[in-house]
Amino acid sequence: AGTVPMRLGSQFEMIYQSLIDFNAWQAYSESRSMQLCGIGAHSLGALKAAYWLSEEPRSTVKRFVALSPPRLSTSLLLDDPK
């Protein structure tokens, strides 16, 4: 056990890769003649949903609730020795 924190889980996810999942949900709902009317998401999911909504101009989502999204610190991540 050293002083360097363990690197686990969502820390290694690439946010842009979540666009595939959100686009799939939108395509699925459209194929069933449904409309995505809202998204509620927590933590990293909230960050991913916000990113998707900013990147997807065709989105039919009218409401978005972000529950406790993470605050990412670019300087902290850049200064990380690993």
Side-chain angles (χ1 to χ4, degrees):
T3 58
V4 177
M6 292 182 68
R7 308 305 193 241
L8 300 170
S10 63
Q11 200 167 16
F12 292 107
E13 291 187 39
M14 297 301 191
I15 303 301
Y16 73 89
Q17 291 174 332
S18 67
L19 296 178
I20 295 167
D21 297 326
F22 283 100
N23 288 332
W25 271 109
Q26 180 164 291
Y28 175 79
S29 66
E30 289 171 354
S31 75
R32 301 289 189 270
S33 299
M34 296 183 294
Q35 188 177 43
L36 293 176
C37 59
I39 295 176
H42 175 261
S43 191
L44 184 61
L47 182 65
K48 291 176 179 181
Y51 179 67
W52 177 69
L53 289 169
S54 74
E55 294 291 314
E56 182 49 61
R58 299 182 320 111
S59 171
T60 58
V61 174
K62 304 289 187 242
R63 303 281 189 269
F64 171 55
V65 178
L67 302 168
S68 189
R71 244 183 11 177
L72 302 179
S73 169
T74 302
S75 60
L76 178 66
L77 294 171
L78 288 175
D79 292 340
D80 189 343
K82 286 198 171 203

